[in-house]
Amino acid sequence: MNGLLNKKCKPCEGGLNPYTSQEAQSQITQIPGWTLEDGDKTIYKIFYFKDFYQTMAFVNALAYIAHNEDHHPNLAVGYNSVKVFYSTHAIDGLSQNDFICAAKINELAT
Ligand code: HBI
């Protein structure tokens, strides 16, 4: 099992170095389908569904994970797709929290 799935996000209000590009590129291999963007400060993945109902069911399940982990994505919600972006705002870059949430959301969609 993906080790990230057993982890819980840690509260982050700064005081932590964001992942370097090298660290980010190494971490992203653990979360299939996710891509680095924005100078390796953000990861994203687009999920596709058969209709709006399924899309919103996924968004609601994702919101539950975000609440539980106290770590929150940006979302671009369409009729049959959701683009999920993660970045750790407090450090203007990527932290382990982003990869933990991405791994948990991948599980949701399988
Ligand atoms: N979500 N994506 C993201 N980035 C943050 O820096 C962040 C968050 N959710 C909550 C939060 N920071 C903090 O308020 C808690 O970790 C304490």
Side-chain angles (χ1 to χ4, degrees):
M1 195 210 273
N2 188 329
L4 290 167
L5 292 174
N6 297 320
K7 297 198 161 77
K8 174 124 181 122
C9 289
K10 296 197 174 94
C12 179
E13 290 179 341
L16 191 76
N17 287 326
Y19 280 166
T20 63
S21 288
Q22 199 178 3
E23 286 167 330
Q25 279 158 28
S26 151
Q27 285 291 308
I28 203 143
T29 61
Q30 296 190 69
I31 45 169
W34 290 78
T35 303
L36 286 160
E37 70 167 16
D38 187 24
D40 298 342
K41 288 182 177 184
T42 302
I43 52 173
Y44 77 86
K45 181 173 178 177
I46 306 175
F47 294 88
Y48 294 95
F49 301 94
K50 83 170 166 47
D51 55 29
F52 190 67
Y53 185 89
Q54 295 297 327
T55 302
M56 291 311 295
F58 176 77
V59 169
N60 278 294
L62 185 155
Y64 176 79
I65 291 176
H67 181 69
N68 232 11
E69 297 291 336
D70 195 18
H71 195 66
H72 305 95
N74 288 336
L75 303 174
V77 180
Y79 159 70
N80 66 346
S81 68
V82 186
K83 187 171 180 180
V84 182
F85 306 81
Y86 270 106
S87 179
T88 301
H89 309 141
I91 57 169
D92 189 31
L94 291 166
S95 70
Q96 188 174 52
N97 288 352
D98 301 303
F99 292 88
I100 291 171
C101 287
K104 291 186 178 182
I105 286 162
N106 269 4
E107 280 295 289
L108 204 61
T110 54

